[in-house]
Amino acid sequence: MVAGFLRALSGTAARRANRVSFVSMKPQVVFVLGGPGAGKGTQCARIVENYSYTHLSAGDLLRQERSRKDSESGQLIDTYIKEGKIVPVEITINLLRKAMEDTMQKDEDKFRFLIDGFPRNQDNLQGWTAVMEGKADVRFVLFFDCSNQVCIDRCLERGKSSGRSDDNRESLEKRLRTYLQSTRPIIELYGEQGKVRTIDASRTVDEVFADVRTILDKEG
Ligand code: UP5
Ligand code: MG
């Protein structure tokens, strides 16, 4: 089934690749990865305040798509998120591609993107490569590293008011399992290419951001 899906993806993705069009500059991408609640979104917001990046959270784009009235994927996304499973890349890559194109069509100087929470597994990576290779540069991966316990504590605390359907103990266990089994290997893969910048995310927001600054100032 997986092989069948991948074959289908490569056909569809190849057709889509021809449709990807960016106005002028090639998008420069930083992938932002880390466990659930590691602080990806929080740090991306700080980066946007201080540097010329556009923040695209794959999770936020999926949640928006889930709540779009005419969405064909809304139900599927809802189930996958509650189960802590990773949505098929066909859906996610389209949302990311469109968000990048829209951003650059409005302002061609906005070609730097933080892609938060993606790629999370092999399927995501293959989808990205099929659609974006040669069309966008992945500069490096910002990896917010902290223990499972920190992830759990932060998400459960946020769950008191977030309204997120996956900020509960049951979903969180599944999200963590998925992260360890599927996402960590992707981070390791980028690590082998010398592309991972690891930050200890268990400290305060300001302390973490100080390290982010050092990295971004150096990377240019
Ligand atoms: N907080 C943040 N930093 C702190 C710090 N340094 N000290 C103390 N507290 C800190 O932060 C989480 C909470 O911690 C907040 O209350 C914050 O104030 C506090 P946040 O910045 O939101 O962390 P983040 O890492 O962004 O956590 P998030 O829950 O968003 O991570 P996930 O990776 O689990 O969620 P995401 O939205 O990316 O994905 C959700 C689901 O969507 C996935 O499980 C999956 O089902 C689906 N998905 C896909 O299928 N494909 C994708 O490509 C992306 C998502
Ligand atoms: Mg987030």
Side-chain angles (χ1 to χ4, degrees), residues 6-31:
L6 286 176
R7 270 196 305 281
L9 167 67
S10 52
T12 321
R15 280 194 297 281
R16 287 232 167 80
N18 295 329
R19 296 213 313 258
V20 175
S21 58
F22 294 110
V23 189
S24 55
M25 289 292 293
K26 205 190 229 188
Q28 301 293 302
V29 171
V30 174
F31 287 142

